[in-house]
C-alpha cells in the first residue's frame, strides 16, 4: 500500500474521531442543519441553582461537567424533525407525530397508515419543533446515534423498548452514548458558564450577561410566536443560541412523583417572565409523555476520549512505519 493511501487512511481516522460538527443533515440552502458547538473546560465547578417550580426536588449544584462534549448550537428545528418523521414514522407506532404539530410548528402529515409522509411549511422550517414528548426526544437522539435513515429508535443512548408512559425512572443515559437529550448539567454549563482564566464563572442569563431585555431573547410575549433559531444575535460563551426563550427545553433530570416521574425543563419560552430564563429557575413540570406547544429540545453529542484518538493514531503510525521500512 502506498504512503499516499496510508495518509488517506489516517485522515479517515481523524475524521471518524472528530467531535460532532455542523451539517449533520445537509438539508440544503435555506434550512438550518443540526449544528453543534464544543464545550470544553472539563471538571469545572458548579453553582447552586434554585428549587424547581412546584416544589419538586431540591436545590442542587448545577453546571459541573467532568468531560468534554458538544451541544446543539440551536434547538432542534421543525425541518430536522420532519426528516426524522419521514425516516421513522411511516406507521408511527410510538406516536412521534402529534396532530397538534399541524398548527403548532406547521408539520403536516399525509397518506395512510404504513405510508405516512410529512412536510413542513417553509416559514416554519427553521423554527423549533414543539409538541414533542421527552420520549420523542430520546428516540430522535437514538436515531441520530444509529446513523439516521432507518437507524433504530429503541436502542442507543436510551433503552426504550417501546416505552411511552409517565414513569420511566430507570430509563437513563447508557454508557457509550453518541447523541443524547441534554443533561441538566450539560445544558446549564453551555448556557451560563464561561471557563478559563481568572474570570471563569457563571452569568444569570444564557448570553453572557446578568441583564436581559426583550431585544435579546424571545420572551414576555414580545413577538407572540416562535422565531427561527438564531434570530437573536446573543450567544452563550460556548456559542449556543436561544437557550433563553422561544421554547422550554427537555433535560434528563428526573423528579419522582406519585403519578409521574417528571423530567426537567430549562430556559423559558416565548410567554415567560425573565425569571424563567434565569440560571436559578429549575422547571420540573414536564410529564415525559406530555406534548405541549411550549416545549422543544436540544441535543448533546459525545466527544471521543483523547486516549482513543492516541491509540488509533498510534496504530496508523505504526503501520506506516512498517511499510516505510519494508521499502
Amino acid at each position: 500500500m502506498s504512503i499516499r493511501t496510508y495518509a488517506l487512511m489516517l485522515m479517515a481516522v481523524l475524521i471518524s474521531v472528530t467531535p460532532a460538527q455542523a451539517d449533520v443533515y445537509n438539508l440544503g440552502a435555506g434550512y438550518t442543519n443540526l449544528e453543534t458547538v464544543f464545550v470544553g473546560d472539563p471538571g469545572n465547578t458548579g453553582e447552586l441553582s434554585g428549587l424547581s417550580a412546584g416544589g419538586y426536588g431540591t436545590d442542587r449544584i448545577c453546571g459541573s461537567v467532568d468531560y468534554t462534549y458538544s451541544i446543539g448550537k440551536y434547538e432542534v428545528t421543525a425541518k430536522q424533525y420532519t426528516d426524522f418523521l419521514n425516516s421513522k414514522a411511516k406507521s408511527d407506532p410510538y406516536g412521534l407525530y402529534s396532530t397538534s404539530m399541524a398548527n403548532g410548528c406547521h408539520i403536516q402529515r399525509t397518506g395512510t397508515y404504513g405510508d405516512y409522509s410529512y412536510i413542513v411549511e417553509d416559514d416554519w422550517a427553521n423554527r423549533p419543533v414543539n409538541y414533542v414528548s421527552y420520549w420523542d426526544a430520546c428516540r430522535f437522539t437514538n436515531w441520530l446515534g444509529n446513523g439516521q435513515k432507518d437507524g433504530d429508535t429503541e436502542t442507543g443512548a436510551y433503552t426504550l423498548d417501546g416505552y411511552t408512559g409517565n414513569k420511566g425512572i430507570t430509563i437513563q443515559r447508557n454508557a457509550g452514548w453518541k447523541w443524547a437529550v441534554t443533561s441538566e448539567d450539560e445544558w446549564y454549563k453551555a448556557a451560563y458558564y464561561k471557563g478559563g482564566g481568572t474570570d471563569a464563572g457563571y452569568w444569570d442569563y444564557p448570553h453572557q450577561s446578568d441583564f436581559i431585555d426583550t431585544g435579546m431573547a424571545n420572551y414576555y410575549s414580545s413577538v407572540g410566536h416562535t422565531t427561527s433559531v438564531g434570530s437573536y444575535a446573543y450567544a452563550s460563551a460556548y456559542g449556543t443560541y436561544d437557550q433563553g426563550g422561544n421554547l422550554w427545553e427537555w433535560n434528563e433530570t428526573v423528579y419522582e412523583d406519585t403519578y409521574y416521574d417528571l423530567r426537567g425543563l430549562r430556559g423559558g419560552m416565548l410567554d415567560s417572565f425573565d425569571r424563567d430564563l434565569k440560571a436559578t429557575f429549575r422547571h420540573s413540570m414536564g410529564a415525559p409523555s406530555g406534548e405541549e406547544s411550549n416545549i422543544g429540545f436540544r441535543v448533546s453529542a459525545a466527544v471521543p476520549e483523547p486516549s482513543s484518538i492516541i491509540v488509533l493514531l498510534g496504530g496508523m503510525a505504526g503501520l506506516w512505519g512498517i511499510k516505510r521500512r519494508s521499502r
Side-chain angles (χ1 to χ4, degrees):
M1 190 179 293
S2 69
I3 291 176
R4 180 177 180 275
T5 302
Y6 275 111
L8 290 172
M9 290 173 64
L10 183 60
M11 289 174 63
V13 171
L14 284 168
I15 291 169
S16 70
V17 298
T18 298
Q21 295 298 326
D23 301 339
V24 173
Y25 274 91
N26 294 311
L27 291 174
Y31 299 120
T32 301
N33 293 322
L34 202 166
E35 189 173 350
T36 63
V37 295
F38 178 73
V39 182
D41 310 303
N44 64 298
T45 301
E47 69 169 359
L48 187 66
S49 187
L51 187 69
S52 61
Y56 292 96
T58 59
D59 292 1
R60 70 179 292 263
I61 301 296
C62 289
S64 178
V65 182
D66 63 3
Y67 50 87
T68 59
Y69 62 100
S70 294
I71 191 170
K73 185 175 183 178
Y74 310 110
E75 297 153 308
V76 171
T77 69
K79 177 63 174 175
Q80 293 163 12
Y81 197 81
T82 299
D83 248 32
F84 171 52
L85 292 171
N86 280 319
S87 295
K88 297 303 299 181
K90 296 291 185 184
S91 301
D92 201 17
Y94 305 121
L96 300 173
Y97 179 74
S98 166
T99 55
S100 296
M101 289 178 177
N103 292 319
C105 56
H106 291 225
I107 298 175
Q108 311 291 335
R109 180 166 73 183
T110 59
T112 57
Y113 181 85
D115 194 32
Y116 289 137
S117 62
Y118 305 85
I119 189 169
V120 61
E121 296 174 21
D122 275 350
D123 286 350
W124 292 77
N126 293 328
R127 302 188 197 191
V129 66
N130 60 3
Y131 288 104
V132 283
S133 72
Y134 178 74
W135 307 123
D136 294 339
C138 289
R139 288 185 163 90
F140 180 88
T141 59
N142 277 351
W143 175 70
L144 287 178
N146 287 315
Q148 297 175 250
K149 296 183 179 178
D150 196 39
D152 187 30
T153 63
E154 303 309 291
T155 59
Y158 311 97
T159 303
L160 298 172
D161 293 334
Y163 187 76
T164 58
N166 277 320
K167 297 298 285 184
I169 192 171
T170 61
I171 300 175
Q172 303 290 341
R173 188 185 301 188
N174 294 324
W177 65 280
K178 296 178 181 178
W179 293 85
V181 182
T182 58
S183 71
E184 185 174 23
D185 289 322
E186 289 167 350
W187 195 99
Y188 193 98
K189 179 177 179 176
Y192 303 115
Y193 186 70
K194 177 186 182 298
T198 58
D199 61 344
Y202 290 88
W203 283 286
D204 287 339
Y205 294 102
H207 46 260
Q208 307 180 63
S209 178
D210 293 331
F211 166 80
I212 193 168
D213 65 31
T214 55
M216 304 169 82
N218 183 10
Y219 76 104
Y220 202 54
S221 300
S222 56
V223 178
H225 55 75
T226 57
T227 49
S228 294
V229 296
S231 292
Y232 292 82
Y234 293 87
S236 72
Y238 292 106
T240 62
Y241 290 84
D242 308 312
Q243 285 195 265
N246 234 9
L247 294 178
W248 291 105
E249 298 178 23
W250 288 113
N251 67 66
E252 293 177 324
T253 296
V254 181
Y255 300 86
E256 291 186 73
D257 190 36
T258 304
Y259 302 105
Y260 302 140
D261 289 333
L262 303 173
R263 296 284 174 157
L265 297 165
R266 277 281 187 179
M269 62 166 179
L270 59 99
D271 288 331
S272 287
F273 295 104
D274 55 3
R275 64 155 195 172
D276 297 355
L277 284 62
K278 205 170 184 179
T280 52
F281 195 86
R282 303 181 64 226
H283 195 338
S284 64
M285 300 302 288
S289 69
E291 296 170 332
E292 304 292 341
S293 63
N294 57 5
I295 299 176
F297 70 105
R298 188 179 302 255
V299 299
S300 291
V303 174
E305 292 292 331
S307 58
S308 302
I309 299 174
I310 291 168
V311 169
L312 286 166
L313 294 182
M316 291 301 299
L319 288 172
W320 196 341
I322 291 169
K323 181 63 178 179
R324 286 177 63 85
R325 286 195 296 274
S326 70
R327 292 169 65 89

